[in-house]
Amino acid sequence: MSNENWQLLNPETVLSIPLKKTDPVELYLPLRNLVASKYSESDAEKVESVLETLNKCRRDMVERRGDLSLPMQRDCLIHYFKCLCMVESLFTSLSSDADADADPIIFVWYDAFNPEHEEGVSSQRNGIQLEKAAVVFNLGAICSQIAASYDRTTALGRHLAMEAFKVAANFFFQLWKVFAKDVVSATLDLTPLLAQFLHALFSAQASELELQPQLLNDARYALHQSVHLLYARAVTLIHNVLRAAKLKHVYCFDRTWATHLSEKEGFFGNSSMHSWNLAQAEAPQRESSIPEQPDAECVAEILVRGICRRSIPNLQQIYVDLILSEYNPFKLMKDGKLVAYPWDMPPRYPTDSAILSSSMSSPLSGILALLPLKKSEPLNLYESLRNYFVLKYSESVAKRVEGPLEMLHKLRNEMLRDDLSLPLRRDCLIRYFKCLCMIEPFFPMNASPNPPVFVWYNAINPQQDSSQHNIHLEKASVLFNLVALCTHIALSCDLTTIQGCRLAMEALNEALNWFSPLPGESKKASGTIDLSEQYTSKIKNEIVGLKHKFPHPQSDVSSLPEYPASTNDPSSDVTEQFLLGYCKAHSLLQEVCEAACLDLLSAVSPVKIKDGNLVANAT
């Protein structure tokens, strides 16, 4: 392969885009006054925390951008998008009220590719569509910059860049298909055409990064062709974009992109197959010129891939986190007050678990009435795992991962405590399960003379126990406890209130979600009888039956994103409208931001990536 062709495979050659700029806007006072006038002063007090955080997010987004790291800008934008969706119904009210005395809220945004142009585009009077589209654009842009910032010659850097480009592509897909269509008189960067191009561009770059490990070994023709098709689509679209830019008199769009993408398309096209075959013959010589990956980098990538594994259920129980989780910055209190903690405030966030009673409120018979949590013997996971890394890799590698190992050990000790409240124990079990997925790729620890021994007792008959080196016993037992804990939460709710009914129903849905990976883990573990398929199936059936026995409030509480069922629902107040907006934003972001590894870049993540290592967050 020629040097020119090999250069096209150089991971240094990637494209990213700038963020849009905007003018400051005061949001708190006009929106709070609107709530107070349209609803009541008490309603304004219930949501003023969200309005304050909304205002702070936008101010930081505008004024502090130069001071914030790329991951922090991403954190701020995501937080702001959630708050923005929560208040969307207020902008609908403002727009429909032609006699409103208050000054209108006008958003002004400037073209990301034409920053010198002094005239921005203004939103319609009190219109929120431009603001949402611009924020989605900036989320995609910041993800592209995060991807471009990583050292893609390392295994971890390439993985993070690939996932960040995928998320960027997802945001521009949403902009193309949904948000850009609602914007009137958009600048070039907010047109569906440009969003479609950016979706194709970042999809191509993500696929190329996914292809690179095969380029150095056995190339797969199908994946190679897929990359070619993506770049071919990007080439077609960028020429359409350049024509549109000329019509809009935007002449500063980087025209070298077209040349770059054409070269990429040519390389990955059919005409390059001769060079491709030649590259395979040259592979041994080429590989000798590429530095070997240090063990530490390989270990970090394995840990990151483990903690982001698809085996972790995609939980949709938003209401449980809103009330009970100390790691969710958005809170719903028992008195109906909504609290939104600042985007840059690290957890833990105080919760109001008064909605739970100290004892189970629903008398039951059958398995669920007697379903205790499984108990386990204490275990020093830190020592055994650290020794393994020293023996298999080196002392320096073990030192670079000891932070997450210490946190893993601490979480295991905490999850066994009987004095923890139900919400705290739930948080602990979920975090510990994610950490188990992180270290799972290193099991079985054949290189260790003393691998950890997991000892778990039968939840129904504590005299029976199972003792194994098998990590699947540990995972299955933690999943069992999550199921049991969620049923305890459901049975502890005050079912005479709408909040209690909603929380109980979502807790049961979460219990069923944790069931999804349990059978697979149990089959790999061969543990005590309470983990058998026959027994867990009985538990599952009883949970399904219990859902039908629970009283329902007037609106359907089976899924919070469907609230309110109609505007005639008596619970359809301002808090309900904010909750509905939050759920829509949460669902969209969960769909778009599939790459959980990007959360490891967040300043508030319990485990984070720093300087190529996976470390426990000191905050």
Side-chain angles (χ1 to χ4, degrees):
M1 179 184 294
S2 67
N3 290 334
E4 181 181 357
N5 279 339
W6 175 242
Q7 178 64 27
L8 289 171
L9 299 179
N10 188 343
E12 293 296 323
T13 311
V14 294
L15 301 177
S16 61
I17 60 171
L19 274 68
K20 290 176 66 65
K21 294 181 179 180
T22 182
D23 291 340
V25 177
E26 169 60 37
L27 295 175
Y28 172 75
L29 283 176
L31 292 179
R32 194 193 187 285
N33 291 339
L34 172 67
V35 176
S37 62
K38 185 175 178 62
Y39 297 92
S40 68
E41 177 60 28
S42 63
D43 283 321
E45 292 175 356
K46 286 182 179 180
V47 299
E48 65 181 352
S49 172
V50 176
L51 302 181
E52 289 170 346
T53 298
L54 172 82
N55 208 45
K56 171 180 164 52
C57 281
R58 198 180 198 283
R59 186 173 62 248
D60 289 348
M61 184 178 73
V62 175
E63 299 174 3
R64 292 182 57 194
R65 189 165 72 181
D67 303 328
L68 300 177
S69 66
L70 297 179
M72 291 180 74
Q73 290 184 59
R74 172 183 173 269
D75 287 349
C76 182
L77 284 164
I78 287 177
H79 214 73
Y80 180 61
F81 184 76
K82 290 179 180 179
C83 291
L84 197 62
C85 290
M86 292 175 80
V87 303
E88 183 171 5
S89 61
L90 299 184
F91 282 88
T92 303
S93 298
L94 281 170
S95 299
S96 61
D97 190 355
D99 299 324
D101 296 329
D103 293 334
I105 297 174
I106 304 294
F107 299 106
V108 178
W109 285 89
Y110 300 90
D111 195 325
F113 300 100
N114 195 16
E116 304 302 324
H117 190 59
E118 294 182 358
E119 295 183 8
V121 169
S122 300
S123 64
Q124 294 178 309
R125 177 186 171 97
N126 301 320
I128 199 174
Q129 291 80 8
L130 173 64
E131 184 80 351
K132 289 178 69 178
V135 172
V136 170
F137 179 98
N138 277 358
L139 278 165
I142 204 69
C143 288
S144 77
Q145 293 182 24
I146 288 172
S149 70
Y150 276 99
D151 180 3
R152 292 171 301 281
T153 63
T154 68
L156 177 60
R158 184 170 57 246
H159 174 72
L160 292 173
M162 175 184 70
E163 295 296 341
F165 276 134
K166 285 181 180 178
V167 174
N170 289 343
F171 275 118
F172 286 110
F173 181 83
Q174 291 294 328
L175 183 62
W176 166 30
K177 291 292 187 179
V178 181
F179 296 96
K181 294 181 178 180
D182 296 329
V183 179
V184 179
S185 302
T187 47
L188 175 65
D189 55 353
L190 290 186
T191 58
L193 173 61
L194 188 73
Q196 185 182 9
F197 161 67
L198 293 174
H199 169 255
L201 167 63
F202 296 130
S203 296
Q205 292 187 160
S207 295
E208 182 181 355
L209 287 168
E210 189 174 8
L211 180 62
Q212 281 175 5
Q214 283 79 33
L215 290 178
L216 302 179
N217 298 289
D218 262 343
R220 288 189 294 182
Y221 181 75
L223 186 55
H224 175 268
Q225 285 296 96
S226 174
V227 176
H228 165 247
L229 292 174
L230 286 168
Y231 273 121
R233 185 162 162 260
V235 167
T236 300
L237 288 169
I238 195 172
H239 287 297
N240 294 338
V241 168
L242 290 173
R243 282 192 290 271
K246 186 175 181 179
L247 291 174
K248 286 180 174 281
H249 305 289
V250 177
Y251 299 107
C252 59
F253 193 89
D254 193 344
R255 283 162 169 73
T256 63
W257 282 23
T259 304
H260 170 81
L261 294 175
S262 295
E263 290 173 347
K264 288 281 188 179
E265 180 198 12
F267 175 78
F268 287 105
N270 292 328
S271 61
S272 70
M273 290 312 297
H274 174 71
S275 297
W276 183 261
N277 293 330
L278 180 61
Q280 302 309 299
E282 296 175 351
Q285 179 182 354
R286 186 171 72 246
E287 289 178 0
S288 65
S289 65
I290 297 172
E292 294 184 3
Q293 296 291 339
D295 284 344
E297 290 175 1
C298 295
V299 168
E301 187 206 12
I302 293 170
L303 290 171
V304 168
R305 286 183 179 272
I307 204 169
C308 302
R309 290 183 60 171
R310 302 292 185 194
S311 59
I312 300 173
N314 188 9
L315 300 177
Q316 294 286 346
Q317 280 59 61
I318 302 171
Y319 206 75
V320 179
D321 282 337
L322 278 171
I323 294 180
L324 300 183
S325 176
E326 289 197 344
Y327 293 89
N328 188 1
F330 294 87
K331 291 283 175 287
L332 177 61
M333 302 303 183
K334 188 177 182 181
D335 60 2
K337 184 177 182 180
L338 275 171
V339 176
Y341 290 98
W343 70 270
D344 51 357
M345 175 181 171
R348 300 181 175 177
Y349 310 106
T351 61
D352 181 2
S353 57
I355 195 171
L356 298 178
S357 61
S358 57
S359 59
M360 294 190 180
S361 60
S362 301
L364 285 177
S365 59
I367 296 175
L368 293 184
L370 303 171
L371 189 62
L373 273 68
K374 290 174 68 67
K375 295 185 180 297
S376 176
E377 290 292 333
L379 174 63
N380 191 337
L381 265 181
Y382 170 78
E383 183 178 337
S384 58
L385 288 170
R386 194 186 190 287
N387 289 340
Y388 167 80
F389 283 113
V390 171
L391 288 171
K392 181 161 181 69
Y393 299 98
S394 67
E395 173 64 30
S396 63
V397 170
K399 191 170 184 62
R400 293 176 70 173
V401 299
E402 60 185 9
L405 299 184
E406 287 173 347
M407 190 182 71
L408 177 78
H409 177 64
K410 180 181 178 181
L411 286 171
R412 193 181 197 280
N413 288 339
E414 286 190 359
M415 78 166 186
L416 298 178
R417 289 173 50 188
D418 292 328
D419 60 332
L420 288 182
S421 66
L422 293 177
L424 284 178
R425 202 162 187 179
R426 172 182 173 270
D427 279 342
C428 185
L429 281 166
I430 292 174
R431 293 177 67 203
Y432 180 63
F433 183 77
K434 290 180 179 179
C435 287
L436 284 178
C437 294
M438 174 183 71
I439 63 169
E440 181 182 353
F442 297 98
F443 281 78
M445 294 184 171
N446 297 326
S448 174
N450 296 303
V453 180
F454 303 106
V455 180
W456 284 90
Y457 294 92
N458 188 333
I460 311 304
N461 179 14
Q463 304 302 317
Q464 182 190 19
D465 69 78
S466 179
S467 174
Q468 301 178 26
H469 296 303
N470 191 344
I471 194 173
H472 296 289
L473 173 64
E474 184 85 346
K475 290 180 67 180
S477 300
V478 172
L479 288 169
F480 181 96
N481 279 357
L482 279 165
V483 171
L485 192 72
C486 289
T487 60
H488 291 190
I489 290 173
L491 298 174
S492 299
C493 292
D494 181 358
L495 301 182
T496 63
T497 66
I498 292 178
Q499 278 195 23
C501 288
R502 287 179 174 177
L503 180 59
M505 195 63 65
E506 281 220 349
L508 292 179
N509 285 335
E510 182 171 319
L512 293 174
N513 272 356
W514 288 115
F515 257 113
S516 60
L518 179 55
E521 298 295 339
S522 298
K523 288 179 181 178
K524 299 173 185 176
S526 301
T528 48
I529 194 171
D530 55 345
L531 295 180
S532 67
E533 184 176 0
Q534 181 181 6
Y535 191 84
T536 55
S537 294
K538 290 181 180 179
I539 298 175
K540 182 177 181 180
N541 291 336
E542 289 213 11
I543 292 176
V544 173
L546 182 60
K547 284 180 61 179
H548 297 297
K549 295 179 182 178
F550 271 14
H552 287 223
Q554 291 180 335
S555 59
D556 180 14
V557 301
S558 62
S559 175
L560 185 61
E562 296 175 2
Y563 305 154
S566 70
T567 54
N568 297 323
D569 192 296
S571 65
S572 185
D573 57 13
V574 66
T575 304
E576 287 293 299
Q577 296 292 340
F578 274 43
L579 285 175
L580 178 61
Y582 174 83
C583 293
K584 288 179 178 178
H586 185 278
S587 298
L588 174 69
L589 290 169
Q590 197 167 50
E591 176 186 349
V592 172
C593 302
E594 293 178 342
C597 62
L598 293 190
D599 291 333
L600 299 176
L601 307 177
S602 172
V604 298
S605 174
V607 179
K608 60 184 298 186
I609 297 169
K610 183 179 180 181
D611 300 328
N613 297 320
L614 200 62
V615 300
N617 196 338
T619 59

